[in-house]
Amino acid sequence: MYLYVVAASVWVYVLVFYGLFKGTRFLSPARLQGKTVVVTGSNTGIGKSTALELAKRGARVILACRNKEKAEAAAFDIRSESGNPQVVFMQLDLASLKSVRSFAETFLKTEPRLDILINNAGVISPGCTEEGFDLAFGVNHLGHFLLTNLLLERLWRCGPSRVITVSALLHRFGSIDFQLLAPQTDAVPPQSAWSSLQAYCNSKLCNVLFTRELANRLEGTDVTCYTLHPGVIYTELCCNLSQWLQLLMMPLAKLFLLDPSGGCQTTLYCALQEGIEPLSGRYFSNCALQQVGANGRDDGLAKKLWEVSERLTGMA
């Protein structure tokens, strides 16, 4: 009887994992010789796997990362595994708008092309950015908002080109209180794990709305944009959570969650799939078009977020 229970448990696990979590593989043979791609947060996790797959296809890949030591090690790994020497690190700290501007200035001076921008970096963590913004909002949305706008002209010049922003299914639980987006001038009290998770959900809703409004503004150009849920994945995104939460999550992660290679498949789909240009501004999951939550379909909210983001980044 015990063996039957074990066997049944294994089969349930296999069915759940491969049916719900495992996800679809992107199998297109598309090549990227002569193309340049920027991937933020690409020294580890989904970003590193994305950069590796793009390097294997012949792209020049810019690893836009905060940690120089880890990013240079990742670049070495990717060059070795892909056989592509055109993988380089450029300093980018999305928690600093000054760093974002510095990266864009350096990139535009040294790189003649930009064909694909992948806004991949993300954090779940308490704290604030250099300018005093909530860390999840500042890194996951505001830094990428500024980066994309600073690089748009190069994307236009190299069109057809694409902007891909990694969101998450958790955007459905997000909301936006514009009064709370302003930078904090006083000391911020410690955040609970729940508050950090809610801030992450809110930032992922911002990703969806940003992509929606960006598509509206890019209509009629050769630049298209997409946002996506990469799958349920355990990566270093959670490294800033409390130790007991990480210990609680680890057994479940090992059993059920995708590895980074599986998690980059929908990013690759949005970056490389032919014929999806009419779907600019839309949301994808498991390499297929998906519906976003109600807040993510609000054009008025998307427009207001864009205008507030312009003001907060000094672009207005």
Side-chain angles (χ1 to χ4, degrees), residues 79-100:
R79 287 193 296 266
S80 299
E81 188 169 345
S82 67
N84 181 350
Q86 295 295 306
V87 179
V88 298
F89 158 67
M90 288 181 63
Q91 184 84 41
L92 172 65
D93 182 359
L94 288 159
S96 164
L97 297 181
K98 180 181 178 181
S99 175
V100 175

Side-chain angles (χ1 to χ4, degrees), residues 249-301:
M249 292 176 66
M250 194 172 296
L252 296 174
K254 294 292 185 183
L255 283 172
F256 291 111
L257 305 191
L258 285 171
D259 61 15
S261 176
C264 75
Q265 298 304 307
T266 303
T267 300
L268 296 174
Y269 177 90
C270 290
L272 302 173
Q273 179 64 35
E274 296 181 357
I276 64 171
E277 289 80 6
L279 301 176
S280 182
R282 304 291 292 278
Y283 169 83
F284 293 79
S285 179
N286 206 23
C287 296
L289 181 67
Q290 301 289 341
Q291 182 69 278
V292 297
N295 284 340
R297 300 192 297 272
D298 188 332
D299 283 323
L301 188 62

Side-chain angles (χ1 to χ4, degrees), residues 89-199:
F89 158 67
M90 288 181 63
Q91 184 84 41
L92 172 65
D93 182 359
L94 288 159
S96 164
L97 297 181
K98 180 181 178 181
S99 175
V100 175
R101 290 190 174 89
S102 177
F103 171 90
E105 182 180 359
T106 301
F107 179 88
L108 293 172
K109 285 180 178 178
T110 59
E111 297 290 334
R113 296 196 62 87
L114 179 56
D115 301 274
I116 304 171
L117 171 61
I118 300 179
N119 294 322
N120 165 83
V123 295
I124 303 177
S125 177
C128 293
T129 69
E130 184 177 282
E131 291 80 14
F133 299 105
D134 170 81
L135 192 63
F137 173 70
V139 170
N140 300 354
H141 167 66
L142 210 57
H144 283 130
F145 173 87
L146 178 60
L147 177 67
T148 302
N149 277 281
L150 292 175
L151 299 180
L152 263 184
E153 185 177 352
R154 185 60 49 86
L155 286 160
W156 283 327
R157 192 190 307 173
C158 298
S161 54
R162 296 184 181 185
V163 178
I164 293 90
T165 301
V166 178
S167 180
L169 182 65
L170 290 174
H171 80 270
R172 293 177 176 273
F173 301 100
S175 60
I176 300 178
D177 184 338
F178 289 101
Q179 292 183 338
L180 299 179
L181 298 185
Q184 300 294 318
T185 55
D186 300 322
V188 179
Q191 284 182 293
S192 66
W194 175 255
S195 297
S196 296
L197 179 60
Q198 185 60 56

